mmCIF file of all heavy atoms in Angstrom:
data_model
loop_
_atom_site.group_PDB
_atom_site.id
_atom_site.type_symbol
_atom_site.label_atom_id
_atom_site.label_comp_id
_atom_site.label_asym_id
_atom_site.label_seq_id
_atom_site.Cartn_x
_atom_site.Cartn_y
_atom_site.Cartn_z
ATOM 1 N N ALA A 14 -9.411 3.600 28.746
ATOM 2 C CA ALA A 14 -9.786 2.488 27.835
ATOM 3 C C ALA A 14 -8.991 2.738 26.479
ATOM 4 O O ALA A 14 -8.580 1.708 25.903
ATOM 5 C CB ALA A 14 -11.261 2.551 27.530
ATOM 6 N N ALA A 15 -8.933 3.933 25.987
ATOM 7 C CA ALA A 15 -8.146 4.243 24.771
ATOM 8 C C ALA A 15 -6.668 3.849 24.983
ATOM 9 O O ALA A 15 -6.093 3.235 24.093
ATOM 10 C CB ALA A 15 -8.338 5.684 24.372
ATOM 11 N N LEU A 16 -6.149 4.166 26.020
ATOM 12 C CA LEU A 16 -4.782 3.733 26.256
ATOM 13 C C LEU A 16 -4.583 2.314 26.382
ATOM 14 O O LEU A 16 -3.550 1.886 25.737
ATOM 15 C CB LEU A 16 -4.302 4.516 27.597
ATOM 16 C CG LEU A 16 -3.968 6.039 27.425
ATOM 17 C CD1 LEU A 16 -3.505 6.604 28.931
ATOM 18 C CD2 LEU A 16 -2.793 6.352 26.643
ATOM 19 N N ALA A 17 -5.450 1.620 27.086
ATOM 20 C CA ALA A 17 -5.293 0.144 27.109
ATOM 21 C C ALA A 17 -5.424 -0.412 25.751
ATOM 22 O O ALA A 17 -4.729 -1.282 25.343
ATOM 23 C CB ALA A 17 -6.462 -0.353 27.979
ATOM 24 N N ALA A 18 -6.417 0.104 24.940
ATOM 25 C CA ALA A 18 -6.486 -0.490 23.577
ATOM 26 C C ALA A 18 -5.276 -0.232 22.771
ATOM 27 O O ALA A 18 -4.877 -1.085 21.998
ATOM 28 C CB ALA A 18 -7.753 0.121 22.923
ATOM 29 N N SER A 19 -4.750 0.917 22.818
ATOM 30 C CA SER A 19 -3.517 1.284 22.196
ATOM 31 C C SER A 19 -2.376 0.383 22.617
ATOM 32 O O SER A 19 -1.571 -0.027 21.813
ATOM 33 C CB SER A 19 -3.170 2.803 22.441
ATOM 34 O OG SER A 19 -1.969 3.075 22.049
ATOM 35 N N ALA A 20 -2.271 0.074 23.904
ATOM 36 C CA ALA A 20 -1.106 -0.757 24.494
ATOM 37 C C ALA A 20 -1.282 -2.093 23.979
ATOM 38 O O ALA A 20 -0.324 -2.883 23.769
ATOM 39 C CB ALA A 20 -1.155 -0.612 25.884
ATOM 40 N N ASN A 21 -2.589 -2.569 23.734
ATOM 41 C CA ASN A 21 -2.824 -3.945 23.365
ATOM 42 C C ASN A 21 -2.869 -4.138 21.794
ATOM 43 O O ASN A 21 -3.127 -5.200 21.320
ATOM 44 C CB ASN A 21 -4.165 -4.472 23.866
ATOM 45 C CG ASN A 21 -4.045 -4.600 25.451
ATOM 46 O OD1 ASN A 21 -2.935 -4.962 25.942
ATOM 47 N ND2 ASN A 21 -5.160 -4.355 26.149
ATOM 48 N N ALA A 22 -2.749 -2.964 21.080
ATOM 49 C CA ALA A 22 -2.732 -3.153 19.581
ATOM 50 C C ALA A 22 -1.565 -4.007 19.133
ATOM 51 O O ALA A 22 -0.546 -3.856 19.594
ATOM 52 C CB ALA A 22 -2.683 -1.749 19.014
ATOM 53 N N GLN A 23 -1.909 -4.866 18.223
ATOM 54 C CA GLN A 23 -0.978 -5.760 17.751
ATOM 55 C C GLN A 23 -0.242 -5.175 16.498
ATOM 56 O O GLN A 23 -1.002 -4.476 15.731
ATOM 57 C CB GLN A 23 -1.638 -7.095 17.292
ATOM 58 C CG GLN A 23 -2.321 -7.922 18.443
ATOM 59 C CD GLN A 23 -2.979 -9.016 17.834
ATOM 60 O OE1 GLN A 23 -3.407 -9.161 16.723
ATOM 61 N NE2 GLN A 23 -3.231 -9.977 18.765
ATOM 62 N N ALA A 24 0.886 -5.518 16.363
ATOM 63 C CA ALA A 24 1.684 -4.997 15.114
ATOM 64 C C ALA A 24 1.410 -6.029 14.028
ATOM 65 O O ALA A 24 0.976 -7.163 14.252
ATOM 66 C CB ALA A 24 3.096 -4.867 15.384
ATOM 67 N N VAL A 25 1.826 -5.713 12.800
ATOM 68 C CA VAL A 25 1.785 -6.621 11.673
ATOM 69 C C VAL A 25 2.740 -7.703 11.993
ATOM 70 O O VAL A 25 3.906 -7.488 12.437
ATOM 71 C CB VAL A 25 2.210 -5.921 10.471
ATOM 72 C CG1 VAL A 25 2.386 -6.895 9.302
ATOM 73 C CG2 VAL A 25 1.138 -4.847 10.004
ATOM 74 N N ASN A 26 2.316 -8.976 11.917
ATOM 75 C CA ASN A 26 3.186 -10.093 12.208
ATOM 76 C C ASN A 26 3.890 -10.485 10.887
ATOM 77 O O ASN A 26 3.264 -10.988 9.954
ATOM 78 C CB ASN A 26 2.238 -11.290 12.724
ATOM 79 C CG ASN A 26 3.082 -12.564 12.959
ATOM 80 O OD1 ASN A 26 4.227 -12.534 13.060
ATOM 81 N ND2 ASN A 26 2.363 -13.623 13.264
ATOM 82 N N ARG A 27 5.086 -10.336 10.993
ATOM 83 C CA ARG A 27 5.959 -10.529 9.767
ATOM 84 C C ARG A 27 6.662 -11.919 9.840
ATOM 85 O O ARG A 27 7.390 -12.146 10.884
ATOM 86 C CB ARG A 27 7.132 -9.534 9.614
ATOM 87 C CG ARG A 27 6.515 -8.139 9.259
ATOM 88 C CD ARG A 27 7.490 -6.954 9.463
ATOM 89 N NE ARG A 27 6.782 -5.746 9.397
ATOM 90 C CZ ARG A 27 6.668 -5.078 8.301
ATOM 91 N NH1 ARG A 27 7.075 -5.537 6.999
ATOM 92 N NH2 ARG A 27 6.096 -3.870 8.232
ATOM 93 N N ILE A 28 6.327 -12.827 9.057
ATOM 94 C CA ILE A 28 6.775 -14.145 9.172
ATOM 95 C C ILE A 28 7.986 -14.284 8.259
ATOM 96 O O ILE A 28 8.029 -14.244 7.062
ATOM 97 C CB ILE A 28 5.712 -15.139 8.587
ATOM 98 C CG1 ILE A 28 4.322 -14.954 9.440
ATOM 99 C CG2 ILE A 28 6.118 -16.654 8.755
ATOM 100 C CD1 ILE A 28 3.188 -15.414 8.892
ATOM 101 N N THR A 29 9.187 -14.522 8.898
ATOM 102 C CA THR A 29 10.477 -14.510 8.288
ATOM 103 C C THR A 29 10.913 -15.863 7.711
ATOM 104 O O THR A 29 10.341 -16.803 7.938
ATOM 105 C CB THR A 29 11.554 -14.163 9.405
ATOM 106 O OG1 THR A 29 11.641 -15.195 10.373
ATOM 107 C CG2 THR A 29 11.293 -12.689 10.022
ATOM 108 N N ASN A 30 11.771 -15.659 6.761
ATOM 109 C CA ASN A 30 12.362 -16.750 6.130
ATOM 110 C C ASN A 30 13.723 -16.838 6.740
ATOM 111 O O ASN A 30 14.279 -15.867 7.289
ATOM 112 C CB ASN A 30 12.612 -16.564 4.630
ATOM 113 C CG ASN A 30 11.491 -16.835 3.789
ATOM 114 O OD1 ASN A 30 10.930 -17.898 3.871
ATOM 115 N ND2 ASN A 30 11.079 -15.924 2.929
ATOM 116 N N PRO A 31 14.593 -18.139 6.636
ATOM 117 C CA PRO A 31 15.784 -18.117 7.180
ATOM 118 C C PRO A 31 16.734 -17.362 6.399
ATOM 119 O O PRO A 31 16.562 -17.157 5.156
ATOM 120 C CB PRO A 31 16.087 -19.602 7.130
ATOM 121 C CG PRO A 31 15.038 -20.324 6.248
ATOM 122 C CD PRO A 31 13.938 -19.303 6.161
ATOM 123 N N PRO A 32 17.823 -16.736 7.091
ATOM 124 C CA PRO A 32 18.821 -15.969 6.390
ATOM 125 C C PRO A 32 19.561 -16.930 5.257
ATOM 126 O O PRO A 32 19.475 -18.154 5.546
ATOM 127 C CB PRO A 32 19.825 -15.632 7.556
ATOM 128 C CG PRO A 32 19.083 -15.689 8.788
ATOM 129 C CD PRO A 32 18.031 -16.769 8.493
ATOM 130 N N PRO A 33 19.879 -16.460 4.261
ATOM 131 C CA PRO A 33 20.053 -14.996 3.928
ATOM 132 C C PRO A 33 18.870 -14.395 3.149
ATOM 133 O O PRO A 33 19.056 -13.340 2.482
ATOM 134 C CB PRO A 33 21.378 -15.038 3.004
ATOM 135 C CG PRO A 33 21.120 -16.306 2.226
ATOM 136 C CD PRO A 33 20.530 -17.335 3.189
ATOM 137 N N ALA A 34 17.725 -14.847 3.281
ATOM 138 C CA ALA A 34 16.519 -14.499 2.623
ATOM 139 C C ALA A 34 16.417 -12.888 2.875
ATOM 140 O O ALA A 34 16.582 -12.449 4.037
ATOM 141 C CB ALA A 34 15.237 -15.159 3.030
ATOM 142 N N ILE A 35 15.988 -12.044 1.909
ATOM 143 C CA ILE A 35 15.735 -10.659 2.070
ATOM 144 C C ILE A 35 14.192 -10.392 1.886
ATOM 145 O O ILE A 35 13.854 -9.168 1.800
ATOM 146 C CB ILE A 35 16.606 -9.863 1.135
ATOM 147 C CG1 ILE A 35 16.323 -10.244 -0.312
ATOM 148 C CG2 ILE A 35 18.028 -10.046 1.389
ATOM 149 C CD1 ILE A 35 16.881 -9.235 -1.380
ATOM 150 N N ILE A 36 13.415 -11.354 1.899
ATOM 151 C CA ILE A 36 11.996 -11.203 1.854
ATOM 152 C C ILE A 36 11.251 -12.058 2.895
ATOM 153 O O ILE A 36 11.848 -13.076 3.433
ATOM 154 C CB ILE A 36 11.370 -11.513 0.500
ATOM 155 C CG1 ILE A 36 11.503 -12.908 0.123
ATOM 156 C CG2 ILE A 36 11.810 -10.583 -0.528
ATOM 157 C CD1 ILE A 36 10.806 -13.323 -1.124
ATOM 158 N N LEU A 37 10.042 -11.801 3.334
ATOM 159 C CA LEU A 37 9.207 -12.633 4.211
ATOM 160 C C LEU A 37 8.648 -13.757 3.637
ATOM 161 O O LEU A 37 8.404 -13.751 2.333
ATOM 162 C CB LEU A 37 8.258 -11.726 4.910
ATOM 163 C CG LEU A 37 8.612 -10.468 5.646
ATOM 164 C CD1 LEU A 37 7.471 -9.611 6.022
ATOM 165 C CD2 LEU A 37 9.491 -10.942 6.811
#
Side-chain angles (χ1 to χ4, degrees):
L16 286 173
S19 168
N21 291 328
Q23 298 174 339
V25 172
N26 181 8
R27 295 169 188 269
I28 302 159
T29 59
N30 277 312
I35 60 171
I36 63 172
L37 301 173

